[in-house]
DNA sequence: TATAAGATCGCCT
DNA sequence: GGCGATCTTATAC
């Protein structure tokens, strides 16, 4: 993979390899942290779009009160209990799609929410915020269960550009009790 | 069958 | 900083 430029980051070349299932078969916290600086790829309207991931959140299992899987294994959360590397997509507030990727072994319901990214290759898009990111990549409920180690929607490993990673509590989960303070949001700067 | 609330965003003051 | 849009999901009746 090669990209001529990355908007705003001053890169002149980009090389990386697709993340495989083994990468996602680990805990959501490690995956979320390491996804900062990696590149989300999908062909949208016939054009291959890429964006460097700059913000993620980890949802670490059924014991995590902020994680949808804490409600149990339902039709909605079923995908999170499955094998890693698949897309968990849901609609929030009736209008915004959220793109997550399932992590950890089958039966261990963990996932990473992709919250923000930096468009690459002169793509004029605003990807600051999970709703905007999913919108720009045209993620819909139809993408639930998509294999993100396949060719349609995938992530490429960060190759060379090192981002400093800041850790903060997650956004919009005031209902999560003790878990609302957990430092599971990762932001690249 | 009905209801309440949500891993957000943009517009308003 | 506050609020409304808009609909899936879970839970209650």
């Amino acid at each position: 993979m090669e990209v001529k430029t990355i908007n705003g980051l001053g890169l002149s070349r980009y090389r990386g390899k697709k993340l495989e299932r083994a990468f996602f078969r680990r805990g959501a916290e490690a995956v979320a942290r390491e996804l900062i600086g990696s590149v989300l790829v999908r062909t949208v309207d016939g054009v291959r779009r890429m964006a460097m991931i700059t913000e993620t959140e980890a949802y670490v299992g059924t014991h995590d009160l902020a994680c949808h899987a804490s409600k149990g294994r339902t039709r909605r959360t079923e995908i999170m209990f499955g094998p890693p590397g698949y897309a968990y997509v849901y609609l929030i507030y009736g209008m915004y799609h959220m793109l997550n990727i399932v992590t950890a072994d089958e039966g261990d319901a963990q996932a990473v929410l992709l919250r923000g990214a930096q468009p690459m290759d002169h793509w004029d898009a605003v990807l600051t915020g999970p709703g905007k990111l999913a919108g720009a990549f045209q993620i819909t409920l139809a993408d639930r269960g998509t294999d993100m180690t396949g060719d349609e929607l995938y992530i490429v490993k960060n190759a060379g550009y090192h981002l400093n990673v800041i850790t903060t509590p997650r956004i919009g989960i005031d209902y999560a009790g003790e878990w609302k303070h957990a430092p599971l949001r990762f932001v690249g700067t």
Side-chain angles (χ1 to χ4, degrees):
Chain A
M1 154 150 328
E2 191 169 313
V3 179
K4 292 191 178 70
T5 61
I6 297 178
N7 295 347
L9 293 177
L11 294 189
S12 59
R13 293 179 99 74
Y14 178 81
R15 286 178 184 280
K17 70 175 182 185
K18 197 180 294 185
L19 294 178
E20 299 174 2
R21 203 166 312 285
F23 176 87
F24 300 107
R25 200 183 303 283
R26 300 170 301 140
E29 182 172 356
V31 172
R33 180 182 289 276
E34 292 174 33
L35 281 181
I36 300 297
S38 295
V39 178
L40 181 64
V41 184
R42 185 185 214 188
T43 298
V44 178
D45 293 332
V47 181
R48 191 181 63 174
R49 297 304 193 184
M50 295 178 288
M52 177 180 284
I53 296 166
T54 55
E55 183 179 347
T56 61
E57 281 179 3
Y59 291 83
V60 298
T62 54
H63 59 294
D64 174 4
L65 297 181
C67 183
H68 290 166
S70 67
K71 295 290 185 183
R73 189 168 186 152
T74 64
R75 186 149 73 247
R76 182 197 205 190
T77 62
E78 177 67 25
I79 186 70
M80 268 197 281
F81 289 85
Y86 292 86
Y88 168 49
V89 180
Y90 64 93
L91 190 63
I92 192 68
Y93 305 119
M95 39 174 82
Y96 299 109
H97 295 274
M98 302 284 110
L99 175 60
N100 303 248
I101 184 161
V102 176
T103 79
D105 265 315
E106 191 165 355
D108 188 353
Q110 303 195 36
V112 173
L113 169 65
L114 303 186
R115 290 189 55 90
Q118 171 72 44
M120 296 167 65
D121 201 24
H122 294 296
W123 182 21
D124 183 19
V126 178
L127 306 175
T128 55
K132 290 194 266 190
L133 186 155
F137 275 96
Q138 293 183 9
I139 302 296
T140 70
L141 294 181
D143 295 303
R144 279 185 293 197
T146 296
D147 184 357
M148 293 187 67
T149 65
D151 293 326
E152 200 268 321
L153 175 65
Y154 58 93
I155 297 173
V156 173
K157 184 178 174 54
N158 180 0
Y161 195 92
H162 181 262
L163 293 179
N164 188 42
V165 179
I166 288 173
T167 306
T168 80
R170 293 169 291 183
I171 303 297
I173 54 156
D174 286 349
Y175 58 85
E178 298 286 309
W179 285 90
K180 99 180 191 184
H181 305 295
L184 293 173
R185 174 169 173 254
F186 303 95
V187 183
T189 58

